[in-house]
Amino acid sequence: MCGIVGYVGSRQAAPIVLEGLKRLEYRGYDSAGLAVQQDGKIVMLKKVGKVSHLESALHAGTMAGSVGMGHTRWATHGEPSEVNAHPHLDCLGAIAVIHNGVIENYSVLKKKLLADGHRFQSDTDTEVLSHLIEDLQKAGGDLEQAVRQALHQVKGTYGIVVMSSREPGKLIVARKGSPLVIGFGEEEYLIASDPSALVQHTRKVIYLEDGEFAVVSMEGVSTRTLDDVAIQKSVEELTIELEQIERGGFEHFMLKEIHEQPETIRNSLRGRLQVDEGVVKLGGLEQVKDKLLAARRIIILGCGTSWHAGLVGEYMLEGIAGIPTEVEYASEFRYRNPVIMESDVVFAISQSGETADTLAALREAKAKGATVLGIVNVVGSTIARETQGGVYIHAGPEIGVASTKAFTSQLTVLALVTLLLARARGVPHVDYTLLMNELDALPGKVGKVLEGAGRIKEIAEVFKDARNFLYLGRGSNFPVALEGALKLKEISYIHAEGYPAAEMKHGPIALIDEKMPVVCIVPKDAIYDKVISNVQEVKARRGRIIAVANEDDDDIGDLAEFVIRVPRTFGFFGPILNVVPLQLLSYYMAVARGTNVDQPRNLAKSVTVE
Ligand code: M6R
């Protein structure tokens, strides 16, 4: 969501913080701000819009100081504006706070602080923290103690960095629900909400856990709990490379990430799919193998694209391994008092590993006794750390807000989990050799789909002014229809709906006329003829059909105005190929419409608030 960067060291803080903010812009970007300790004061600059606006407003020689912090904001409380951008100051401008998360009881606290004479500048929940800390310091005590006391009074989630002009040379950091990582450089320390802001300076980091608190100064990093008990944190090594978080010649991160998919799928399979030995090995599930084998039911939790991956997973787990599987929106799960049994195994799927709803849902399932596992991309993320086992998807950093390569890697991992469980449970009539070979061939087949990008760009030009889109698919391609529609909505702001093809006649068919583009996913699988009947229904109403079909489908050209070809594969693995043209279609539509592809309006890469 929002991004946080802090710096304490021997270099100038402002340029380092700005650089880090740029790397975090994908997390939230309606405004940005910077504060530096300079000559016994806090100097601050805030701007609406991108970090580059902040950078151009920063004049050489101003904001000189080697302790600083900055923030990119994704608005929750209060519209995007300069006053609402972080940092937020106390009445005297001596205390500055940046914050990710939501202070749920802010209005109660604010009322009290206003009654005590505090003057607020913004509409944010965050500003109560600076005034509360100010208030508590008036009663005596140092900044550290005041921050601790303030945090004991707030309800909600936070990742915060606090500085005070009265206690120069240090930053105070605390976490509950919003990630924070501290990097150890040479004669310097960096703080960030996401390790990608640190990797160009250091690989040595510690991750703060919920309820932890750190004081960062040139003397070092002292970590304690919020209740002031000293804790020893172990330093971990970051594994991401700088080039992974750069565009590498592509116009947008999203396009780069779409094109990375042959490689990222291969990375998801590497060392796990052992075709010659005829086995699947998933080290992260070894410890919980007994629980998995005894599971009466699998529950998959996720949001957005990760939820769509879960839906495809349900088809695989039930269709191949015969395990009863339910897929739930993580955001709905815990508010409906779900019945969870100790024999349930829950998979939380998340690219970022930080999605607040997914985290809350998995905690609920864990509290109710289920075994909780993760299918996560970001190594060391909160979900990865709070689960009892799991599988990293190894897709590498995904910067584009619209998730692409993470989705195909999530599906690849779900396919591996399915094969592992089917074999371990002794499911009969599964041709493991065939399925393993099909999985092994997927990277090459995705490469073939990508060769058709030019044709998809032409189709996007034809439809770029459309107001609505329908996406239809059946079976495991129904979630692909949902995902195609989500991609289009997210980055080109065109209204789109994904539907199970056969459900169309129960309502949405009323929308079809000669202006309605309908993307139909029609692979030559077991239900091909059924889907073709649905496509006929669209044609009969003069809808404009764009078909995603197999290379050897000679009939589809008679029905569809445009055909995008994909290689054949085993039915349940089809979504891994069929989604790629839909990613490209939405990408080229967005480019043709001139929208901000990597940072679409109102969206954030990692949604760390409920
Ligand atoms: O990081 P997560 O996978 O938990 O994120 C879940 C959703 O917020 C995410 O998939 C979102 O829907 C993407 N913007 C989709 O492109």
Side-chain angles (χ1 to χ4, degrees):
M1 219 90 257
C2 310
I4 280 180
V5 182
Y7 179 83
V8 176
S10 46
R11 295 189 280 163
Q12 286 298 307
I16 296 169
V17 172
L18 273 174
E19 179 62 38
L21 290 181
K22 280 197 217 149
R23 299 221 181 264
L24 296 187
E25 236 181 345
Y26 71 102
R27 296 180 66 101
Y29 32 78
D30 55 47
S31 53
L34 179 66
V36 165
Q37 292 178 2
Q38 183 180 1
D39 305 328
K41 291 201 186 84
I42 291 178
V43 280
M44 193 171 75
L45 185 66
K46 307 203 246 189
K47 284 284 160 216
V48 173
K50 295 169 80 70
V51 177
S52 56
H53 297 177
L54 187 68
E55 192 174 28
S56 357
L58 177 66
H59 299 298
T62 59
M63 304 196 83
S66 55
V67 177
M69 62 191 199
H71 188 267
T72 54
R73 175 170 187 253
W74 184 86
T76 58
H77 295 59
E79 59 166 14
S81 66
E82 260 176 45
V83 280
N84 286 337
H86 299 212
H88 290 287
L89 301 177
D90 66 336
C91 297
L92 299 176
I95 296 167
V97 177
I98 54 177
H99 165 226
N100 287 357
V102 175
I103 306 299
E104 287 166 6
N105 59 340
Y106 87 100
S107 60
V108 180
L109 294 169
K110 187 169 175 174
K111 255 187 217 144
K112 190 171 172 306
L113 288 160
L114 283 169
D116 292 344
H118 288 266
R119 295 178 315 280
F120 280 73
Q121 308 292 329
S122 77
D123 304 321
T124 65
D125 52 334
T126 302
E127 198 184 345
V128 296
L129 281 173
S130 1
H131 293 280
L132 192 54
I133 296 166
E134 176 186 28
D135 212 61
L136 291 160
Q137 261 204 299
K138 274 189 205 147
D142 59 13
L143 180 68
E144 199 182 320
Q145 201 180 343
V147 174
R148 259 180 228 293
Q149 288 169 348
L151 294 179
H152 274 119
Q153 291 189 33
V154 303
K155 292 203 179 87
T157 53
Y158 53 79
I160 55 161
V161 185
V162 184
M163 63 157 76
S164 166
S165 56
R166 285 190 288 265
E167 295 186 34
K170 70 162 83 143
L171 295 176
I172 292 187
V173 186
R175 169 194 165 142
K176 183 183 161 209
S178 292
L180 280 177
V181 54
I182 302 174
F184 292 67
E186 292 207 359
E187 289 186 33
E188 60 188 11
Y189 302 95
L190 294 108
I191 298 152
S193 49
D194 179 327
S196 58
L198 305 184
V199 69
Q200 89 186 88
H201 303 287
T202 180
R203 296 188 167 278
K204 297 200 178 338
V205 298
I206 56 171
Y207 292 93
L208 279 198
E209 300 290 343
D210 280 355
E212 290 180 356
F213 188 96
V215 180
V216 183
S217 69
M218 283 306 273
E219 276 82 66
V221 177
S222 114
T223 44
R224 309 182 79 79
T225 66
L226 193 54
D227 295 321
D228 209 13
V229 179
I231 33 172
Q232 203 60 43
K233 305 281 298 176
S234 50
V235 176
E236 298 180 39
E237 190 87 12
L238 291 179
T239 51
I240 43 176
E241 300 296 331
L242 199 52
E243 59 268 24
Q244 287 181 297
I245 53 171
E246 292 184 331
R247 278 211 309 271
F250 284 89
E251 201 183 333
H252 296 100
F253 278 110
M254 182 179 178
L255 189 62
K256 176 183 176 230
E257 287 157 7
I258 291 173
H259 280 273
E260 277 173 355
Q261 288 176 111
E263 190 55 29
T264 49
I265 294 171
R266 208 168 279 124
N267 289 342
S268 306
L269 295 172
R270 184 164 294 123
R272 296 161 166 183
L273 181 75
Q274 303 186 355
V275 181
D276 293 342
E277 291 78 29
V279 292
V280 169
K281 288 227 160 108
L282 293 170
L285 299 183
E286 274 304 315
Q287 278 195 332
V288 290
K289 209 166 171 186
D290 293 345
K291 294 265 187 197
L292 262 170
L293 292 184
R296 308 262 298 276
R297 172 173 73 155
I298 287 179
I299 299 173
I300 301 178
L301 303 171
C303 297
T305 289
S306 296
W307 179 72
H308 295 158
L311 292 177
V312 178
E314 179 180 23
Y315 282 94
M316 292 180 188
L317 285 160
E318 294 203 333
I320 302 172
I323 307 173
T325 304
E326 287 172 22
V327 188
E328 296 238 19
Y329 277 122
S331 49
E332 290 295 317
F333 181 74
R334 74 177 167 144
Y335 293 111
R336 64 170 191 78
N337 195 17
V339 176
I340 305 291
M341 292 164 283
E342 286 193 4
S343 59
D344 286 335
V345 167
V346 172
F347 276 99
I349 304 186
S350 175
Q351 186 286 127
S352 61
E354 302 292 350
T355 300
D357 289 319
T358 311
L359 186 58
L362 92 81
R363 285 177 179 159
E364 170 86 10
K366 199 174 181 181
K368 289 188 163 172
T371 302
V372 294
L373 307 173
I375 294 180
V376 171
N377 192 30
V378 178
V379 176
S381 56
T382 310
I383 293 178
R385 281 178 292 126
E386 290 204 13
T387 40
Q388 292 152 282
V391 190
Y392 281 120
I393 63 171
H394 292 320
E398 191 179 65
I399 308 287
V401 164
S403 186
T404 52
K405 63 177 182 172
F407 181 69
T408 47
S409 282
Q410 288 165 343
L411 298 190
T412 305
V413 163
L414 284 161
L416 289 172
V417 171
T418 303
L419 289 194
L420 179 89
L421 292 182
R423 165 109 345 134
R425 287 171 165 239
V427 178
H429 314 304
V430 177
D431 186 343
Y432 292 100
T433 310
L434 173 91
L435 298 197
M436 292 179 89
N437 281 319
E438 281 298 336
L439 273 182
D440 200 35
L442 282 175
K445 290 183 181 179
V446 170
K448 278 210 87 187
V449 180
L450 292 170
E451 285 169 17
R455 173 81 181 125
I456 297 170
K457 189 175 179 189
E458 287 166 13
I459 299 173
E461 282 295 331
V462 175
F463 290 101
K464 69 178 193 307
D465 297 318
R467 303 282 303 273
N468 299 286
F469 255 77
L470 262 184
Y471 286 74
L472 302 178
R474 283 187 88 156
S476 59
N477 284 301
F478 158 52
V480 177
L482 293 176
E483 176 62 7
L486 177 66
K487 290 288 90 92
L488 192 71
K489 281 184 273 207
E490 283 188 295
I491 59 167
S492 58
Y493 317 145
I494 295 173
H495 170 246
E497 283 195 52
Y499 242 81
E503 274 295 303
M504 184 190 55
K505 58 186 174 294
H506 298 287
I509 199 163
L511 296 169
I512 294 176
D513 62 14
E514 69 284 355
K515 290 202 199 79
M516 177 65 93
V518 187
V519 179
C520 304
I521 307 153
V522 270
K524 279 217 154 190
D525 57 15
I527 47 172
Y528 174 77
D529 292 338
K530 304 280 175 203
V531 188
I532 286 293
S533 304
N534 304 136
V535 180
Q536 294 277 13
E537 291 157 11
V538 177
K539 179 140 178 109
R541 284 148 190 95
R542 292 183 289 144
R544 301 191 67 180
I545 299 166
I546 304 158
V548 175
N550 287 144
E551 285 159 339
D552 58 344
D553 184 338
D554 299 328
D555 305 321
I556 192 72
D558 299 337
L559 276 178
E561 189 178 343
F562 299 96
V563 181
I564 302 169
R565 300 288 179 177
V566 293
R568 268 210 204 210
T569 183
F570 171 67
F572 290 118
F573 303 159
I576 299 174
L577 300 181
N578 301 334
V579 75
V580 177
L582 306 189
Q583 297 169 343
L584 284 166
L585 183 65
S586 62
Y587 171 77
Y588 286 119
M589 295 274 289
V591 171
R593 290 164 68 87
T595 59
N596 187 340
V597 172
D598 283 333
Q599 297 166 358
R601 68 183 181 202
N602 305 340
L603 290 178
K605 181 67 184 161
S606 160
V607 183
T608 51
V609 294
E610 263 195 71

